[in-house]
Amino acid sequence: MAASTKPLILSILKEGKSYGYLIIQKVKDLSGGILEWSDGMLYPVLHRLEKEGYIESEWMISENGRKRKYYSITEQGKLELIAEKEDWLSVQAVLVKLWGILPTE
Amino acid sequence: MAASTKPLILSILKEGKSYGYLIIQKVKDLSGGILEWSDGMLYPVLHRLEKEGYIESEWMISENGRKRKYYSITEQGKLELIAEKEDWLSVQAVLVKLWGILPTE
DNA sequence: GATAATACATTGATAATCTACGTAAAGATA
DNA sequence: TATCTTTACGTAGATTATCAATGTATTATC
């Protein structure tokens, strides 16, 4: 399941800055509660993606004074997302053929 | 990319018996040449799936006298494929939302 | 004052991945 | 007949990914 973390995180950050806790919520919301990521699973991935140069972070203070580490996607990350998207769609196309379903099913 | 080996292999074997070399060909064909698996990458996955009980194997001799190890999907494997499919479609649905595309694009 | 929610992090065991390498036979080509 | 390509299987081992478990701390709610 977690093999999909990279495209999902990059896609979310392409929509705009976000932070760890909120990313988990967004994934949960967008999936209708099906995808529930743990924080212990997400943070190492965020650190790895930052180390690889796909995202970058800055500490910010929210309205209520809470510290948050906001991540944003880099130019390199955008290119990587395009590649990830191509890969995903390639596999998706094959699976759709094998499953004999319409892609929306 | 290789995170997709499991659903792909199980889906192919659900269509009928097959063997390592042919599976690589099928994936290549179905993807229009985009997905090219190496044998050294596939065989360990086949062994793992067999060990986990999702597929089973038997040695057979082809028309030209060549030895082949044919794999077929087990009942447990069929159940696992259903689960894999659900997982895949959950992620797919989220990505489609984020990418703002029709699933066929 | 206690509990839940928010928000970050690391550690470390387990599992997955993939390149590189090895074997061998059949078929094609020169 | 010698060589190359294709078919067909395999393992080893380094690298990487995964995830549960655990820790810290603040804010919000009850």
Side-chain angles (χ1 to χ4, degrees):
Chain A
M1 180 184 289
S4 48
T5 46
K6 195 174 169 186
L8 280 172
I9 292 170
L10 291 180
S11 297
I12 286 171
L13 292 182
K14 188 160 176 280
E15 306 269 290
K17 275 187 170 65
S18 191
Y19 56 96
Y21 196 84
L22 185 56
I23 290 172
I24 290 171
Q25 305 265 299
K26 276 195 185 171
V27 168
K28 191 178 175 186
D29 285 352
L30 286 168
S31 68
I34 291 170
L35 300 179
E36 287 198 73
W37 287 355
S38 67
D39 49 357
M41 171 263 222
L42 176 64
Y43 291 118
V45 180
L46 287 173
H47 298 158
R48 198 194 79 217
L49 292 177
E50 183 170 28
K51 192 175 152 207
E52 290 168 339
Y54 300 136
I55 63 177
E56 55 192 10
S57 65
E58 54 176 332
W59 283 99
M60 297 178 83
I61 309 293
S62 71
E63 324 77 49
N64 52 22
R66 202 183 273 281
K67 274 202 309 176
R68 288 177 188 156
K69 197 175 190 176
Y70 275 84
Y71 287 92
S72 43
I73 194 168
T74 62
E75 284 308 311
Q76 201 192 331
K78 287 178 190 170
L79 292 176
E80 182 67 10
L81 176 55
I82 291 170
E84 286 280 332
K85 192 170 162 180
E86 276 174 19
D87 287 349
W88 182 274
L89 291 177
S90 300
V91 176
Q92 169 71 9
V94 173
L95 287 176
V96 163
K97 281 182 195 171
L98 287 167
W99 293 343
I101 56 169
L102 293 174
T104 41
E105 283 185 79
Chain B
M1 179 186 289
S4 48
T5 46
K6 195 174 168 186
L8 280 173
I9 292 170
L10 291 181
S11 297
I12 286 171
L13 292 183
K14 188 160 176 279
E15 306 270 291
K17 274 187 170 66
S18 191
Y19 56 97
Y21 196 84
L22 185 58
I23 291 172
I24 291 171
Q25 305 265 299
K26 276 195 185 171
V27 168
K28 191 178 176 186
D29 286 352
L30 286 168
S31 68
I34 291 170
L35 299 179
E36 286 198 73
W37 287 355
S38 67
D39 48 357
M41 170 263 223
L42 176 64
Y43 291 117
V45 180
L46 287 174
H47 298 161
R48 199 194 81 218
L49 292 178
E50 184 171 27
K51 192 175 151 208
E52 291 169 338
Y54 301 136
I55 63 179
E56 55 192 9
S57 66
E58 54 176 332
W59 283 99
M60 296 177 82
I61 310 293
S62 72
E63 323 78 49
N64 52 23
R66 204 182 272 282
K67 275 200 310 176
R68 285 176 189 156
K69 198 175 190 177
Y70 275 84
Y71 287 92
S72 43
I73 194 168
T74 62
E75 284 308 310
Q76 202 193 329
K78 286 178 191 170
L79 292 176
E80 182 66 11
L81 176 56
I82 291 170
E84 286 280 331
K85 192 170 161 181
E86 275 174 21
D87 287 349
W88 182 275
L89 292 177
S90 300
V91 177
Q92 168 70 10
V94 174
L95 287 176
V96 163
K97 280 182 195 170
L98 287 167
W99 293 343
I101 57 169
L102 293 175
T104 41
E105 282 183 83

